[in-house]
Amino acid sequence: MNVVVCVKQIPDPADPGALNPDHTLKRDGKLILDESDTYGVEMALQLVDKAGEGEVTLVSMAPNEEVSGLRQALAMGAAKAILVSDDTLAGAGALDSAKVLAAAIGKAEGYDLVLAGTESSDGYTGTVPEQVAALLDLPSITFAKEVDISDSTVKVRRQTEAGYDQCESPLPAVVSVTAGVVEPRYPSFKGIMAAKSKPLDTLTVSDLGVDGDVVGWAGAGQEIVDVSPAPEREAGEVIEDDGEGHAKIVEFLDGLKVL
Amino acid sequence: MALSKIWVHCEVTEDEIASITLEILAKARTLSDQVEAFVGGPADAVAETLGAHGATKVHATGDLQGGMQGVHVAAALAAAIEGGDAPDLIMFGSTYDGRDIAARLSVKLDKPVITNNNDVEEDGDSIVVSEPVFGGTEIVKTKFAAGAPALAAFRPKSFEAEESGGGAAEVAELAVPDVGAAGAAKILDRHIEETSGPKLDEAAVVVSGGRGLGEAGKFDMIEDLAKLLKGAPGASRAIVDAGWVPYSYQVGQTGKVVKPTVYIAAGISGATQHMVGMKGSKNIVAINKDPEAPIFGVADLGIVGDVHKVLPKLIEALQAR
Ligand SMILES: Cc1cc2nc3c(=O)[nH]c(=O)nc-3n(C[C@H](O)[C@H](O)[C@H](O)COP(=O)(O)OP(=O)(O)OC[C@H]3O[C@@H](n4cnc5c(N)ncnc54)[C@H](O)[C@@H]3O)c2cc1C
Ligand SMILES: Nc1ncnc2c1ncn2[C@@H]1O[C@H](COP(=O)(O)O)[C@@H](O)[C@H]1O
């Protein structure tokens, strides 16, 4: 059972986001493992563990040969990682990212399952996993709340508007998992030490055989024309509860005629 | 110059058209005289409502026999477009199936799809979409530069649904080509979670609880208050991830977008990802013990206090009325 997990390395969400003058997202500080992808990593480790054989390979696309997020996921227990880092990828949209990831996944031979998060914390387009599936021409199930594998079949509870759908697919397949699907483990000290010597391949776009003219700014097929502050909502009255705070709320609701 | 044709994805749950589809249809009508819908399923249950909301035609795949929407509907759309029936713009809701179809189609057509938009306009010969970023503090406008059709997905509640008074939409077959092994994933069974009271994204009053409630059992206070106000209970992701309430309660970036008359946030800090889901509410009341909590920055009435003191008294006061 070999599982590839797409993990994104992102600026710390605790820092306020900012755009570069060319409208790309600022990513020059240290990048960390997207929390949304810790669920995919944990799920992959559990599935491999249950199967009793195989390994977890990480795939990531990030600027500046950033590896700290990958080391974090390797410390959780993944066996190896492939990083694609290339200046031509500045301005890459979701489809470009998917093309690069699909090509990188192609380098990880003999996989049974590709896992991803349903949406990243910084881009949250929510389209990359399904685009990767389309590029690899694989079946896919998105928004997985539960994942189980038996007899070369992946069984998934897929989140829906009204509840969930019980789905299944033969392997290989692409599955995107929601936050909270499993409890991601914290890397142990031993894991952190071991991660330092695990194989980590850094590739460029040309190593992958992807045409640099069709990804990044060159191929995005979209152009940012304006960035401006959204109209702000005014704050109203803030009062300290002196034991009568509830009465203030009743009065407010009364004024709105919702009682 | 108006757009010559727009296609709108029709999202259906249990024979009912999702409100986001009707919202998008209303916007589409302001951009083009020829608005058509497409659905990954049969058209019988939806043609009338779609027509009443301005779609003149509905392209329907018929029953997908448990096949996933994304791969099948995208293949069908791509075939129709290749056959010469290309619209200028295809509009999707940011829903589970909407995003899957848009993503698969973007690969088929090798064109970008822009998601999470809350507006779209024509600018000369181009289509420009607006996407709120950084928790809705900034708006990014993006122009499509890859030729027709432009693919865009919109957040719920971006537009207001409005009937146009049209008759039932004409039904056209949307043929699904063979998708090979990529179509092997199947839905075996649908599970509908029973809910009572108004729907979270349609209720006039929403009462949401967060981690400040302290423990799962205290969510009862939120349920009680919501019931007294004939509203719907909601939640922050923190307590959804903790398993206190189901995901369907979640308000925010990865949950529901709500715009009720009144939104009451109890023990919720006001993270940007939560606020994108509720900032459009007409009135906001916040209860939080931390006077610095960001939620107070958007509240019309803020109570700095302990939810365990304020909520029981509030419930009691409302029961007494
Ligand atoms: C990609 C991504 C997507 C996300 N999507 C969503 C989303 O859709 N929806 C969402 O909600 N979040 C989302 N989040 C999570 C978000 O960032 C916050 O972590 C979450 O909203 C916090 O929930 P909370 O306010 O309940 O908890 P906390 O931030 O822990 O806040 C608890 C609050 O309760 C107050 N409090 C504590 N005790 C009391 C008391 N006794 N009385 C009164 N107040 C008290 C505290 O002062 C504090 O302000 C997302 C995050 C990411 C990275
Ligand atoms: N640059 C990237 N590197 C690795 N994985 C990615 C990247 N971008 C997106 N993904 C994967 O796709 C998921 C959804 O991302 P998004 O479509 O950006 O919301 C993420 O949770 C990752 O698993």
Side-chain angles (χ1 to χ4, degrees):
Chain A
M1 179 75 207
N2 291 316
V3 185
V4 175
V5 190
C6 298
V7 296
K8 198 167 180 184
Q9 304 177 87
I10 62 166
D12 192 334
D15 296 338
L19 295 174
N20 290 313
D22 68 353
H23 301 321
T24 51
L25 200 59
K26 261 203 182 28
R27 298 178 200 270
D28 34 14
K30 184 174 169 288
L31 302 182
I32 60 167
L33 177 62
D34 187 343
E35 196 217 66
S36 305
D37 287 331
T38 58
Y39 301 98
V41 175
E42 178 64 37
M43 178 58 78
L45 292 169
Q46 290 186 13
L47 291 172
V48 166
D49 214 34
K50 213 176 136 214
E53 46 85 34
E55 59 182 26
V56 176
T57 303
L58 308 167
V59 169
S60 185
M61 172 185 128
N64 310 326
E65 309 204 349
E66 178 64 55
V67 295
S68 31
L70 284 174
R71 291 277 179 225
Q72 200 181 324
L74 289 169
M76 287 173 72
K80 55 186 199 293
I82 301 173
L83 170 71
V84 186
S85 196
D86 199 314
D87 290 345
T88 60
L89 292 171
L95 180 56
D96 305 310
S97 306
K99 285 178 182 172
V100 168
L101 292 171
I105 292 165
K107 296 268 172 195
E109 281 158 31
Y111 59 84
D112 303 291
L113 179 69
V114 177
L115 289 179
T118 49
E119 52 185 29
S120 61
S121 303
D122 64 338
Y124 56 96
T125 72
T127 56
V128 168
E130 188 74 1
Q131 287 169 324
V132 166
L135 289 157
L136 296 171
D137 203 21
L138 289 178
S140 57
I141 304 174
T142 52
F143 290 91
K145 306 194 331 160
E146 251 179 64
V147 183
D148 198 23
I149 290 183
S150 56
D151 309 324
S152 286
T153 303
V154 57
K155 299 182 164 59
V156 171
R157 271 191 184 184
R158 179 177 187 258
Q159 179 74 50
T160 63
E161 215 46 64
Y164 65 85
D165 286 351
Q166 186 63 50
C167 304
E168 67 173 46
S169 173
L171 299 176
V174 177
V175 172
S176 74
V177 298
T178 59
V181 65
V182 279
E183 185 67 41
R185 70 193 68 184
Y186 286 103
S188 65
F189 179 69
K190 216 176 114 207
I192 294 169
M193 294 315 286
K196 294 192 170 144
S197 56
K198 286 183 176 170
L200 197 162
D201 264 351
T202 302
L203 306 176
T204 62
V205 163
S206 65
D207 291 336
L208 287 175
V210 174
D211 186 348
D213 288 345
V214 302
V215 289
W217 276 135
Q222 61 192 57
E223 189 189 317
I224 294 177
V225 290
D226 184 52
V227 180
S228 49
E232 291 234 21
R233 197 188 163 101
E234 297 279 320
E237 185 188 8
V238 179
I239 57 162
E240 193 86 36
D241 177 38
D242 52 1
E244 289 303 314
H246 64 283
K248 267 290 207 192
I249 300 177
V250 174
E251 194 184 303
F252 183 77
L253 296 175
D254 240 347
L256 297 173
K257 310 222 182 313
V258 292
L259 293 184
Chain B
M1 188 205 88
L3 300 179
S4 63
K5 180 157 68 181
I6 298 178
W7 282 353
V8 175
H9 173 230
C10 173
E11 173 101 16
V12 185
T13 310
E14 295 286 285
D15 282 350
E16 206 181 304
I17 301 180
S19 41
I20 189 164
T21 302
L22 305 180
E23 291 158 21
I24 293 173
L25 280 172
K27 180 66 188 184
R29 271 168 20 223
T30 68
L31 297 169
S32 173
D33 294 335
Q34 197 176 351
V35 174
E36 302 178 351
F38 60 92
V39 62
D44 344 333
V46 297
E48 199 161 319
T49 310
L50 288 173
H53 286 262
T56 51
K57 204 187 236 185
V58 51
H59 303 263
T61 61
D63 192 356
L64 291 174
Q65 313 286 346
M68 306 306 287
Q69 293 271 327
V71 63
H72 293 99
V73 179
L77 292 173
I81 290 165
E82 242 159 69
D85 194 10
D88 293 324
L89 170 66
I90 307 184
M91 299 171 82
F92 299 85
S94 289
T95 58
Y96 308 107
D97 289 337
R99 282 199 285 198
D100 281 2
I101 299 168
R104 287 263 178 186
L105 185 60
S106 84
V107 171
K108 285 254 167 209
L109 303 177
D110 197 22
K111 289 186 198 304
V113 51
I114 305 180
T115 47
N116 291 313
N117 302 296
N118 69 354
D119 207 0
V120 51
E121 63 196 307
E122 250 193 300
D123 182 16
D125 277 347
S126 336
I127 296 169
V128 174
V129 285
S130 300
E131 174 187 0
V133 297
F134 304 137
T137 51
E138 307 229 19
I139 307 284
V140 172
K141 289 192 173 191
T142 310
K143 181 169 101 178
F144 288 91
L151 309 180
F154 295 85
R155 296 187 61 84
K157 302 280 159 72
S158 297
F159 316 112
E160 224 162 294
E162 204 191 342
E163 292 202 16
S164 66
E170 176 197 337
V171 178
E173 194 204 342
L174 184 62
V176 182
D178 180 20
V179 296
K186 287 269 175 307
I187 301 168
L188 305 181
D189 194 25
R190 308 213 105 132
H191 184 96
I192 309 287
E193 276 160 13
E194 292 300 327
T195 48
S196 58
K199 281 193 189 157
L200 178 54
D201 50 359
E202 287 167 11
V205 178
V206 172
V207 186
S208 286
R211 186 145 43 200
L213 292 172
E215 52 181 305
K218 297 290 182 197
F219 195 79
D220 286 352
M221 295 194 293
I222 302 294
E223 304 259 14
D224 289 349
L225 186 55
K227 198 170 276 170
L228 281 165
L229 295 168
K230 298 189 183 59
S236 72
R237 173 159 139 187
I239 72 168
V240 171
D241 285 357
W244 296 4
V245 293
Y247 169 78
S248 56
Y249 283 50
Q250 186 171 316
V251 172
Q253 179 179 307
T254 36
K256 296 264 169 21
V257 176
V258 301
K259 288 192 176 177
T261 309
V262 189
Y263 186 86
I264 303 179
I268 291 179
S269 60
T272 52
Q273 297 93 346
H274 184 78
M275 300 233 260
V276 275
M278 44 68 76
K279 235 173 21 181
S281 304
K282 287 186 196 71
N283 297 280
I284 297 172
V285 178
I287 308 163
N288 194 304
K289 68 174 184 191
D290 173 10
E292 303 296 320
I295 192 78
F296 288 130
V298 300
D300 299 286
L301 173 64
I303 306 288
V304 180
D306 185 344
V307 287
H308 303 112
K309 297 207 175 99
V310 179
L311 287 180
K313 284 192 199 155
L314 179 57
I315 290 167
E316 204 176 305
L318 292 173
Q319 275 165 342
R321 284 168 73 100

